[in-house]
Amino acid sequence: MLEIRRLVLLRELAIRGTIAAVAEALNFSPSAVSQQLSLLEKETGMTLLRKAGRRVQLTPQAEVLVQSAGEVLDTVERAEARLQASLSVVSGRVRVAVFQSAALALMPATLRAMAARYPDVRVEMVQREPEEALRETWARDFDMVIAEQYPAHAAPHHPGLDRRPLTEDAIRLALPAVEAALHPVASLPEARTMPWVMEPRGAASRHFAEQLCRRTGFEPDVRYETADLQAHIRLVESGNAVALIPDLVWAGRDTSCRLLDLPGLPRRTIFTAQRLAGAASPAARAFRDTLEEAAATRA
């Protein structure tokens, strides 16, 4: 019989690409990972890995085992969820990946409600960029992800992830107050002369912002790049930049920024995703329902 833990290591190698990355993710030494994979080759009597420069490449036989390992892990996760569901008290751990504005606007109320209703559930939260977090949830680093999707920029789909809409928010042009502005601006076309702050290249919000400016007829002068939307707000409030900012960012705070509607009134979609294999987990279900209540209350 094949050793399941070695199958899992092979699957991790397929996901993470290098033995060093597998070792780091699982707190093993690289030599221990290599040894276990060599033992798996002996168990199967087949070549599973080939050297490709400084990396290793999975053979077709290894790919078969990777798919089977995923199916085994799904079966185990479903069994654990059913076992937890047989108890009279909702308990367990929920690992959540969340992007910054959702962490600020939605998580405090959700965590308070979870602590009051389900004291035996431990919620662990890590801030991650949505596209990275979706893949990591598929890879089993997290149980659930709160992610976002901008107009005309679909978030990636991964097999076995169940998506559920959470909320939407408007995206607006944030401008400095008139008295703070170096060059007063009253519309998106007029913002062509202003410095912009945007998230780094590759972010969905950056793609959306640049495309909107180009459709309006200009290339934005992006002088400031940061993934921290709180920094965006300070740069706009201080009169140093303009930005496109979703409404959720303003939850629970006042601002001196002027907020202008954009052409077509674009909206960002916020959603949750979790593995279908873990959908029956009472702790995950309780968290997802509580989060949806918090989002509905905010709306």
Side-chain angles (χ1 to χ4, degrees):
M1 182 179 293
L2 297 177
E3 171 60 56
I4 292 177
R5 287 173 296 180
R6 291 172 189 148
L7 289 175
V8 170
L9 284 177
L10 185 65
R11 180 179 182 272
E12 290 291 325
L13 179 60
I15 291 170
R16 303 185 192 278
T18 67
I19 288 175
V22 174
E24 182 179 358
L26 301 182
N27 293 318
F28 288 1
S29 68
S31 60
V33 174
S34 295
Q35 182 183 38
Q36 291 300 311
L37 292 174
S38 294
L39 288 172
L40 182 60
E41 286 192 314
K42 289 181 181 179
E43 284 179 344
T44 61
M46 298 180 184
T47 300
L48 301 178
L49 303 175
R50 292 197 182 98
K51 285 195 175 291
R54 295 186 177 182
R55 301 167 71 94
V56 290
Q57 190 173 52
L58 274 65
T59 65
Q61 290 71 35
E63 296 289 357
V64 170
L65 290 180
V66 167
Q67 181 178 350
S68 297
E71 293 167 357
V72 169
L73 289 172
D74 283 346
T75 299
V76 171
E77 188 170 8
R78 283 192 292 268
E80 289 175 342
R82 285 196 293 267
L83 187 62
Q84 289 294 324
S86 71
L87 302 176
S88 58
V89 175
V90 178
S91 62
R93 180 179 66 155
V94 183
R95 301 164 300 165
V96 184
V98 58
F99 63 96
Q100 186 190 48
S101 55
L104 293 171
L106 301 176
M107 288 302 293
T110 301
L111 293 173
R112 283 196 303 271
M114 286 293 295
R117 299 175 192 172
Y118 307 102
D120 294 318
V121 175
R122 175 185 173 91
V123 179
E124 299 176 358
M125 180 184 76
V126 177
Q127 183 177 322
R128 283 285 195 277
E129 291 305 306
E131 294 197 8
E132 175 188 9
L134 282 163
R135 189 173 191 278
E136 290 175 330
T137 301
W138 167 77
R140 290 183 158 77
D141 291 344
F142 299 101
D143 301 306
M144 192 173 302
V145 56
I146 305 172
E148 63 180 357
Q149 184 166 279
Y150 277 76
H153 193 285
H157 283 266
H158 295 281
L161 287 189
D162 169 50
R163 292 192 184 198
R164 208 153 82 187
L166 183 60
T167 189
E168 290 185 347
D169 60 348
I171 307 165
R172 305 179 201 273
L173 176 63
L175 302 169
V178 174
E179 59 272 17
L182 299 176
H183 306 286
V185 171
S187 67
L188 180 61
E190 292 179 13
R192 72 177 65 236
T193 62
M194 286 291 292
W196 284 74
V197 56
M198 293 186 185
E199 293 195 57
R201 291 190 182 279
S205 62
R206 174 67 173 262
H207 178 266
F208 168 77
E210 288 182 331
Q211 291 300 310
L212 182 63
C213 291
R214 289 166 184 167
R215 288 197 301 271
T216 305
F218 68 94
E219 189 69 24
D221 177 10
V222 183
R223 297 190 196 178
Y224 315 111
E225 287 190 9
T226 173
D228 186 349
L229 295 186
Q230 301 304 308
H232 289 213
I233 292 171
R234 291 298 300 127
L235 286 168
V236 175
E237 288 178 335
S238 60
N240 289 293
V242 298
L244 299 183
I245 298 182
D247 277 358
L248 195 65
V249 174
W250 309 111
R253 63 164 293 161
D254 296 322
T255 182
S256 61
C257 293
R258 292 178 292 137
L259 303 176
L260 299 186
D261 287 338
L262 294 169
L265 303 177
R267 299 179 70 80
R268 175 181 65 165
T269 300
I270 299 166
F271 62 94
T272 57
Q274 73 173 129
R275 289 181 302 282
L276 285 166
S281 163
R285 185 181 298 167
F287 174 81
R288 205 175 201 183
D289 291 345
T290 304
L291 175 65
E292 288 174 356
E293 288 180 23
T297 300
R298 187 207 64 82

